Each structure stands twice: as structure tokens, then as C-alpha cells.
Amino acid sequence: MVEKWGDDYICLGPYFPQRAAAEYEPITEPDETEIGQTVRKMRQMGYAVEYGYWLITGRPRIVLFHLESVTPQLNQIKHDLWERHQLSTLGVEDLVNQVIAFGEAARVFIKLLADDHARRVDLVAHFHEWMASTGLPDLRRENVKVATVFTTHATMLGRYLAQNEEGFYGKLPFFDWLREARHYNIETQATIERLAAQQAHVFTTVSDVTARECEVFLGRNPDLVLPNGLNIMRFTAVHEFQNLHVKYKAKIHEFVMGHFFQTYSFDLEKTLYFFTSGRFEFSNKGYDLTLEALARLNWRMREANMDTTVVMFMVTKQPYHSINPEVLHSRALLEEIQETCEAIEQQVGERLFQAAASNSDITMPDLNSFVDEYWRLRLRRTIQSWKTKQLPRFVTHDLVQEDAMTHFIRQAKLVNNEFDRVKIVYHPDFIASTNPLFGLDYGQFVRGCHLGVFPSYYEPWGYTPLECVVRGIPTVTSDQSGFGDFIMQIMRDYENRGIYVVNRRTQSFNEAADQLANILFRFVRMSQRDRIAQRNRVESIAEVFDWTNLRSYYDTAHDLALKRRKP
Ligand code: UDP
Ligand code: G6P
């Protein structure tokens, strides 16, 4: 966008000091651009407004509003929203108040900018999500000279209903949006979304999958579908990505040794790392299907007497007290073992060198004799205190309470018995480099794995499989996810390229679980050579999802909005 619009491109957002500290750099010098002048005008009107650069690729200029400076007017704004648009905001949660404050600040800013008579270019305002959009209806009502685009990245009602209503897609055409919105206590949110969708010059969403919901819940078919991309420059380490896989896999090996080898061991050369990740929407994200398929995979691998081990990481966010102390302790002891080994290695090395240099005899000396009793004892003791008979825990943290994941894992008996070929590590927190268990950030963790598993039931787009693809990691997605649906439309040989699409549209849960188990079973029998070649094929798709290519969808939306405002 910055490439196309230069200084005429501006992002608007709410100001949160903690976030801003890391990602925002203020512009301090006087700025005579139209945007700089508009910021000044708003400040004169009494709004607290930040203005600077957003420190992401492209360094777009950004205006951030202090929401508190709008709060005194909140009741009046709500009154107007009710009177003009029948938007009821009685008894809403504080988040909605913030949303309304932000929407108002954005509306004022856009109106000032549009009313500037010296304007050189026509103005387009692109609103993402209901949370940005409470000001949109008034911009239309007042006939402000701005072309508006609204993009919904999901529907509020879709998220709730898909999670709670059995057979959601079958019932979809028959839902009464208002009744459901009231039932789930999201009438205000759903109404804002609906108003924005109906009033924008151009209404868009991120996938055909979500477009199907829009007519029912928002009362308007999207004009366009704008698929999601990534800034591929940031991800692609050309030719290096295979090496990075090995590098980060070694870090995951360390975790796995610390976690499992305390009780029993398996061959890490014959171990595959699968993972899934995302918010805790148990059935929407297909965690249920994934676990069911893993149970079937486990059984099949045992039947086939395979010596391969699959370690499955379930990465999501659930309330917990702390990382489980035993898990941490085991990890720490393994590190001590490693340090002891290194000390022994050094001692043996030095003494071997001395012996070799001083010895005329060229036979190899007994290396054991080079190790001090102290180090032998220390190694033996540490290993002894580390080993246990307890099964490796399938959840790494002390959860505040048991949840659907732990229930399903227990019920499917995927509890990390030695004979299980599929092991489970449920990590109820997002992965960050500060986390002592892996010491990897999320992107590095993805690279170290072999397969991402995301057979979602409800997924407007789904970045997680795409993030695998751009790192050269094969992935499972579903035809109910925007990404999976898009891949099926644009590519014929996606499966050969390492993108597996589970059919959740026409298959039952049971059939889909079988299909997924088949996919996984085929994957675990691939040779290393085939895996390497497949990673190359996956990675070669990345380009398709570069914003440089996908920006054109946005350009089309903006052009259409301008045309509609001024035919
Ligand atoms: N994610 C992350 N750390 C994690 C797990 C997930 O940062 O440990 C991010 C992931 O990179 C992705 C996002 O969470 O960008 C999830 O987005 P997605 O589109 O898959 O699902 P949504 O959140 O929209 O339901
Ligand atoms: C990359 C490396 C190879 C390594 C392979 C392991 O391709 O370049 O040297 O052997 O990864 O692949 P695997 O699928 O077994 O983790």
C-alpha cells in the first residue's frame, strides 16, 4: 500500500501505550502534509492524537487515538447511534465502549480530511472488522466525500453459532440473525457489523466460505473476496529454509528428550513432529478431529509395528497457573546432564591429547580411564534422579481447570504410554522465545516441525496453514477454511505440493477423521528423501501469497468504491 500511495496512505488505530512502545515511532517535526494538518486540527479540537510511523515493513504512517479523550462524549455518541441507526448499546461490555470511542475518533479524522478543500486525491477509507467501523454509518449519512470499503474477516454470529450449533452449515440459511444475536448476548456487536456491511460502498470478506455467511447474518452479499497474504520477504530464507528446519528441529529434540526420555526413549532420527495451533475454539479449529485422527493413526502405526514416533504438539491458549514444575525440573536436569557430558568431553579430550603426544605407543588408550571418579558419579547421580516411572505428562502446564482437550486426550487414551507411537504434548499457551521449554519463537517452532495440522470446521481464512507453506512445511487444512477453499480454486496439484485438504463440507466427523488418519498414515511412511523434496515443493508456493501479488484484490475494491461514490 505504501508502495502505491506513498505519503497519502495512513493507518488509523487506538493508542495502547504498551503496544506502541515496541511498534511506534512518533513524528516530531512539523508536517505540512494533509494528514499532518488534520492531526493538528484534531488536537486543537481537544482530541489526544498520536502521529508517527508504524514500525512494520513499509513503515506506514499511523494515527493513534487516545480513547479516553473521547470518553466524555460517549453517552452522546451512543444516543446518536441509537437515534440515527437504531444501534442499541445498553449495558455493553467495556470493549464495546472502546470500540465506539475509536469509531468516533476515526469518523472525525476522516471527515476533517475529506472536508479539506485543497484535497488532491480522492479518499478511500478501508474499515477492517466491526471493531473499526462504528463511524462508518454516519460518514454515509452525512454524505462525507469518502469512498468506503468494509471488510469483515469473519462474522460474529458465525463464530458463536459454528462452535455451539450442531450441524451449523446445514442450518445456516435458516438462522434469524437478531434472535441469535440476542441469545448469545452480542446484539450490539452483530448490529455494528451489519450496519457497516450494509452501508459501505463496497463490502468484502476474506473467503468464499465466509461470503456464504454474510448474506444470512449481515444481509448483504459481499461485492468482492479479498484473500489474505503475507509479507513473504520476511519469511523466505531462500535456499536456507531446509537448514533452518534442521536447526530448529534440534531445539525441539531437546525439549522432547527432556520431556520423554526421563521415562523412556525413542529414536529421534525416526521421530516426526506434528503440530496444530490457534485460539481455543475446540471444534471450530478441528482439535477434536485432529485428536480423533491421531488416535486412529496411533492404532494403525502399532498394528503395522512401526518404529517411527510422532510427537503431536497442540498449541493454544487456555488459563493456567504456571508451567508444570515437574516438566520444568526435568528440563533443568537434562541440561545438567548435558553440562556434565560436556565437562567429561573436555577432560577426556585434554587427557587424550596429552597421552597421544607423550606416548610412543600408537594404540588407542582406554578413554574410560581419563574420566575422574567425580564426574562419573555426578553423571550417574543426575541420570538417576532424573529417571522416573511416571508417564510423560500430556499437558505441559498446570491448567486452571480440565478442559475439552484434556478430556478428549484421556478418553482417546493418548496418554503417552511407551507403546504409543503417537505422543501428545498439549501446550496451553502460545509459543514465545522467552518460554523456557522450547526457547523458540513461533515461526522457528513451525520450521522445526514436519507437518502442521489444521482441519478446521469453522475458519474464515486461517493463517496458520499458510504460515507453514511459506516456511516450506507441509500442512493439512480443510475445505471449510478460507485458505483451503482458495487453494482448491487456484491449484490443481495442491496435494502433491504438500497441502492436504480434509473434506469437512460433505463428510461426517467420522469420515473426515478417517480421511485425516489416512493422510497422516501416508505421511509417516514417507522416506526422508521424499519429505525433503516435498518441503521444496511446498515452499515454492509461497510466492502466490505475497502481498505484492494479492494487493491487486485490494486495489480493485478501492477502485470500485470510488466509482460507486462518484459514478
Ligand atoms: N500464533 C502465534 N503463536 C502461537 C500460535 C499461533 O503467534 O503460538 C498466531 C499464528 O501465527 C496466526 C494466528 O495466531 O497468525 C492465528 O490466526 P488464524 O488466522 O490461524 O486464526 P484466527 O485467530 O483468525 O482464528
Ligand atoms: C533438511 C536438511 C537435510 C536433513 C533434512 C531432515 O532437508 O537439508 O540435511 O537431512 O532436512 O529432514 P527431516 O524431514 O527428516 O526432518
Side-chain angles (χ1 to χ4, degrees), residues 216-488:
V216 179
F217 296 137
L218 306 182
R220 180 176 177 187
N221 261 325
D223 299 296
L224 296 165
V225 167
L226 317 181
N228 278 327
L230 284 168
N231 222 325
I232 305 294
M233 289 299 288
R234 274 161 55 191
F235 295 104
T236 315
V238 191
H239 310 306
E240 277 295 303
F241 79 95
Q242 293 275 2
N243 297 345
L244 290 179
H245 164 69
V246 178
K247 179 173 163 188
Y248 297 125
K249 189 175 73 168
K251 296 288 265 188
I252 302 179
H253 280 340
E254 280 176 29
F255 166 81
V256 165
M257 281 194 274
H259 194 76
F260 289 94
F261 288 14
Q262 198 184 12
T263 317
Y264 51 74
S265 64
F266 41 85
D267 185 352
L268 291 178
E269 286 299 310
K270 291 184 182 159
T271 299
L272 295 172
Y273 298 133
F274 294 0
F275 78 103
T276 190
S277 68
R279 57 175 98 198
F280 195 86
E281 290 180 8
F282 190 65
S283 59
N284 281 357
K285 291 287 179 192
Y287 299 148
D288 48 358
L289 191 78
T290 299
L291 289 171
E292 179 60 37
L294 286 167
R296 296 180 192 192
L297 174 71
N298 187 38
W299 185 81
R300 285 204 213 166
M301 289 175 77
R302 284 177 59 193
E303 283 287 293
N305 264 325
M306 290 182 71
D307 58 357
T308 307
T309 305
V310 169
V311 179
M312 174 76 199
F313 296 94
M314 316 280 307
V315 178
T316 179
K317 253 189 189 169
Q318 277 287 74
Y320 62 81
H321 296 296
S322 61
I323 298 181
N324 180 268
E326 287 168 27
V327 171
L328 267 181
H329 185 59
S330 169
R331 183 74 228 242
L333 279 181
L334 185 78
E335 264 160 41
E336 197 181 320
I337 294 172
Q338 192 176 20
E339 279 162 25
T340 309
C341 290
E342 277 162 11
I344 292 173
E345 179 190 333
Q346 201 186 349
Q347 189 168 60
V348 170
E350 277 166 16
R351 290 183 180 171
L352 174 64
F353 176 55
Q354 283 166 15
S358 60
N359 219 338
S360 51
D361 183 1
I362 51 166
T363 55
M364 187 72 181
D366 174 15
L367 297 184
N368 284 330
S369 67
F370 291 159
V371 185
D372 278 351
E373 199 48 44
Y374 169 78
W375 286 115
R376 285 169 199 258
L377 205 63
R378 179 153 164 187
L379 183 63
R380 196 175 315 143
R381 285 211 177 129
T382 325
I383 294 175
Q384 228 165 35
S385 64
W386 182 55
K387 291 285 177 191
T388 167
K389 295 218 172 345
Q390 240 178 356
L391 286 185
R393 294 173 56 90
F394 60 77
V395 48
T396 48
H397 291 52
D398 285 341
L399 291 168
V400 171
Q401 56 187 25
E402 296 277 304
D403 60 22
M405 195 85 91
T406 56
H407 281 141
F408 206 117
I409 292 169
R410 280 216 178 81
Q411 188 202 321
K413 296 201 177 63
L414 285 170
V415 292
N416 296 338
N417 278 301
E418 183 166 6
F419 54 75
D420 284 324
R421 292 323 332 127
V422 177
K423 319 284 182 194
I424 302 285
V425 177
Y426 170 25
H427 188 274
D429 192 11
F430 276 12
I431 289 182
S433 50
T434 45
N435 176 318
L437 295 182
F438 298 102
L440 295 172
D441 67 30
Y442 178 69
Q444 295 169 331
F445 174 79
V446 171
R447 285 189 190 276
C449 288
H450 291 94
L451 182 72
V453 186
F454 309 101
S456 300
Y457 179 69
Y458 180 82
E459 189 76 85
W461 176 256
Y463 259 110
T464 43
L466 175 52
E467 289 163 346
C468 287
V469 170
V470 303
R471 293 179 170 94
I473 301 302
T475 186
V476 177
T477 175
S478 85
D479 60 358
Q480 289 294 31
S481 90
F483 169 75
D485 181 68
F486 184 68
I487 260 304
M488 288 169 85

Side-chain angles (χ1 to χ4, degrees), residues 34 107 109-125 138-148 201 561-562 565-566:
E34 289 168 51
R107 183 192 70 79
F109 185 90
I110 293 167
K111 184 165 161 37
L112 286 173
L113 197 59
D115 286 350
D116 183 346
H117 292 298
R119 282 214 60 71
R120 292 168 295 111
V121 286
D122 289 329
L123 204 62
V124 182
D138 264 348
L139 289 171
R140 285 309 299 275
R141 199 186 63 94
E142 295 170 25
N143 212 2
V144 174
K145 281 183 275 172
V146 59
T148 52
H201 289 100
L562 283 169
R565 197 187 78 74
K566 259 195 340 193

Side-chain angles (χ1 to χ4, degrees), residues 20-49:
E23 301 182 30
Y24 160 76
E25 184 185 293
I27 293 176
T28 43
E29 74 275 14
D31 178 321
E32 287 313 316
T33 61
E34 289 168 51
I35 289 163
Q37 289 172 9
T38 310
V39 168
R40 269 207 302 281
K41 280 185 213 157
M42 254 189 106
R43 285 178 181 154
Q44 281 157 10
M45 291 165 73
Y47 294 96
V49 180

